Amino acid sequence: MTCDYFALAAPGVRSLQPYQPGKPESELRREYGLSDIVKLASNENPLGPSPRALVAVREALSDMARYPDGNGFELKTALAAKLGVSTAMLTLGNGSNDVLELAARAFLTPEYEAVFSEHAFAVYPIATQAVGATARVAKANPPDHAMPYGHDPAALLASINDRTRLMFIANPNNPTGTWLKTAELQGLLSDIPESVIVVVDEAYGEYVDPAADCADTLRWLDRFPNLIVTRTFSKAYGLAGLRVGYAISHPVVADLLNRVRQPFNVNSLALVAATAALDDVDHLQRIQALNRAGMQQLQEACRRLGLSWLPSVGNFLCVDVGRSGREVFLALLKRGVIARPVDNYGLPRFLRISIGTEAENTRLIEALTAVLQE
Ligand SMILES: *Cc1c(COP(=O)(O)O)cnc(C)c1O
């Protein structure tokens, strides 16, 4: 190759770190020749999707030759009724990842900046740099804080300057599991200038225990027109493979987000599956209960092993393994268990473990116990 394409790429693209996904089960099978594999690496729903979603997808398969409804009328109508908002406040995305990128594309240019916290979700820097904007990373809470490594509202606020157009807040955050309490988030939103769009990423919202005092942000949309709340069908609804998520915002903001999306960004199967899944309250309650029990199972095991963990209201636990998290991750792989190292998030001693079924958690706990004794 005589042409240096790397040099031709946009500066933000040249310096961006690609997203590192959880290791797929099929890859471990290929590389290690293992068959009985447990994957607790991508915060997926161990129960799978609602049976209603599966029926809806089967019925829609034969329509695959047609373009999907580019406005997602039925899903938006169902979401609007469920959330008590108007359809004009909704933007559908190819996963909520898509909606995060739409926010960056609609509001950022190379002159502007986006603020987010250290140890925050890895898509924020990617979305920011891909449009040539500058990422400003706010210090997270110190390790001895009640919410260790979590978002620090004061640091986020102090990172805002004249060039700030966007702030990303993951509530709860991945990979830490930490969250901002209602009063903290409300205080922060009140202090942020109206000209800064604040994206509150609630990918794990359905898992949050009401006792955790995690804000009900939809109630604030009237008061904070600069607020974008994002949610997904990938986590509690078990549709990660189909890619569908959404944003709720002021209609003016929603209109801007909708202008920059691909005309058919959510496929026809994802649309019908999400609409059906939304209706299946029992299935959602089953996964919530399973997650609560699994979270206890995992925490009890950590206690026995003398390991500490970060507070979490998601479907995962970030555990301090007291040594290189990546080494523990590699040792677990040999035993057919996939967890997630988070050294790329600045947390080299931690391992992020998704909550699985009771049997999956037991496999993880047995493997982890053996690895720590090696
Ligand atoms: C998983 C996750 C998402 C989104 O995933 P999608 O599959 O694109 O909806 C968004 N934010 C956080 C913090 C996540 O952990």
Side-chain angles (χ1 to χ4, degrees), residues 8 15-16 51 75 85 105 156 162 188 216 224 261 287 344 356 363:
L8 293 180
S15 61
L16 76 72
L75 177 55
V85 300
R105 230 181 301 154
L156 287 167
D162 293 346
L188 178 59
D216 176 9
F224 302 113
R261 70 176 174 82
I287 183 58
N344 57 324
R363 271 284 302 278

Side-chain angles (χ1 to χ4, degrees), residues 2-129:
T2 51
C3 186
D4 185 355
Y5 295 108
F6 189 83
L8 293 180
V13 174
R14 270 183 268 150
S15 61
L16 76 72
Q17 297 289 324
Y19 184 78
Q20 297 175 25
K23 194 178 183 69
E25 209 178 302
S26 54
E27 196 175 296
L28 187 60
R29 207 175 299 133
R30 270 199 310 276
E31 290 175 358
Y32 289 66
L34 294 169
S35 54
D36 188 15
I37 294 168
V38 168
K39 184 187 176 201
L40 298 174
S42 300
N43 301 342
E44 292 149 341
N45 184 331
L47 287 184
S50 156
R52 294 191 204 177
L54 292 177
V55 170
V57 165
R58 280 193 202 103
E59 280 174 2
L61 276 175
S62 54
D63 275 337
M64 209 184 274
R66 303 277 174 204
Y67 279 102
D69 173 4
N71 288 316
F73 177 81
E74 287 187 15
L75 177 55
K76 278 192 184 174
T77 304
L79 277 170
K82 177 127 189 151
L83 305 172
V85 300
S86 78
T87 54
M89 298 170 79
L90 295 172
T91 308
L92 301 182
N94 194 279
S96 57
N97 195 132
D98 190 23
V99 189
L100 299 172
E101 288 187 18
L102 298 182
R105 230 181 301 154
F107 291 101
L108 294 176
T109 70
E111 292 110 85
Y112 297 119
E113 299 188 355
V115 170
F116 48 86
S117 177
E118 267 184 303
H119 319 300
F121 187 44
V123 162
Y124 309 151
I126 297 175
T128 303
Q129 286 178 243

Side-chain angles (χ1 to χ4, degrees), residues 181-202:
K181 303 268 175 76
T182 303
E184 285 177 308
L185 186 55
Q186 192 174 358
L188 178 59
L189 285 167
S190 306
D191 290 342
I192 292 173
E194 273 198 350
S195 58
V196 175
I197 297 284
V198 183
V199 178
V200 177
D201 176 348
E202 298 184 344

Side-chain angles (χ1 to χ4, degrees), residues 24-347:
E25 209 178 302
S26 54
E27 196 175 296
L28 187 60
R29 207 175 299 133
R30 270 199 310 276
E31 290 175 358
Y32 289 66
L34 294 169
S35 54
D36 188 15
I37 294 168
V38 168
K39 184 187 176 201
L40 298 174
S42 300
N43 301 342
E44 292 149 341
N45 184 331
L47 287 184
S50 156
R52 294 191 204 177
L54 292 177
V55 170
V57 165
R58 280 193 202 103
E59 280 174 2
L61 276 175
S62 54
D63 275 337
M64 209 184 274
R66 303 277 174 204
Y67 279 102
D69 173 4
N71 288 316
F73 177 81
E74 287 187 15
L75 177 55
K76 278 192 184 174
T77 304
L79 277 170
K82 177 127 189 151
L83 305 172
V85 300
S86 78
T87 54
M89 298 170 79
L90 295 172
T91 308
L92 301 182
N94 194 279
S96 57
N97 195 132
D98 190 23
V99 189
L100 299 172
E101 288 187 18
L102 298 182
R105 230 181 301 154
F107 291 101
L108 294 176
T109 70
E111 292 110 85
Y112 297 119
E113 299 188 355
V115 170
F116 48 86
S117 177
E118 267 184 303
H119 319 300
F121 187 44
V123 162
Y124 309 151
I126 297 175
T128 303
Q129 286 178 243
V131 296
T134 301
R136 192 161 292 278
V137 181
K139 277 272 174 226
N141 291 331
D144 60 355
H145 192 275
M147 211 57 96
Y149 305 103
H151 291 13
D152 173 354
L156 287 167
L157 191 63
S159 301
I160 292 175
N161 60 38
D162 293 346
R163 307 198 309 156
T164 310
R165 277 285 189 274
L166 207 54
M167 182 184 285
F168 291 105
I169 297 173
N171 208 37
N173 182 44
N174 167 23
T176 57
T178 52
W179 66 104
L180 290 173
K181 303 268 175 76
T182 303
E184 285 177 308
L185 186 55
Q186 192 174 358
L188 178 59
L189 285 167
S190 306
D191 290 342
I192 292 173
E194 273 198 350
S195 58
V196 175
I197 297 284
V198 183
V199 178
V200 177
D201 176 348
E202 298 184 344
Y204 301 94
E206 296 84 4
Y207 281 113
V208 175
D209 183 341
D213 187 25
C214 200
D216 176 9
T217 46
L218 294 192
R219 284 186 302 127
W220 295 342
L221 284 162
D222 285 342
R223 232 160 83 221
F224 302 113
N226 56 333
L227 176 62
I228 299 177
V229 177
T230 64
R231 294 189 180 165
T232 183
F233 286 92
S234 297
K235 305 285 159 62
Y237 285 104
L239 298 175
L242 280 179
R243 316 301 304 128
V244 50
Y246 58 97
I248 315 121
S249 66
H250 189 282
V252 170
V253 173
D255 172 52
L256 292 164
L257 297 179
N258 274 299
R259 286 179 194 211
V260 293
R261 70 176 174 82
Q262 282 182 45
F264 305 104
N265 62 335
V266 185
N267 72 72
S268 51
L269 302 181
L271 286 173
V272 295
T275 309
L278 206 55
D279 242 5
D280 196 343
V281 178
D282 289 346
H283 189 74
L284 185 63
Q285 286 174 348
R286 268 195 293 280
I287 183 58
Q288 288 165 332
L290 186 79
N291 192 61
R292 268 196 300 279
M295 185 64 97
Q296 282 210 331
Q297 187 189 359
L298 195 56
Q299 292 186 353
E300 271 161 29
C302 287
R303 218 173 275 124
R304 275 199 307 277
L305 292 167
L307 303 176
S308 61
W309 59 85
L310 304 182
S312 171
V313 285
N315 65 340
F316 56 91
L317 198 63
C318 203
V319 179
D320 184 348
V321 289
R323 59 181 89 174
S324 158
R326 186 160 290 272
E327 277 171 27
V328 174
F329 157 74
L330 290 170
L332 287 172
L333 282 186
K334 293 187 189 142
R335 294 170 184 273
V337 176
I338 315 176
R340 188 77 158 262
V342 284
D343 44 359
N344 57 324
Y345 280 95
L347 298 166

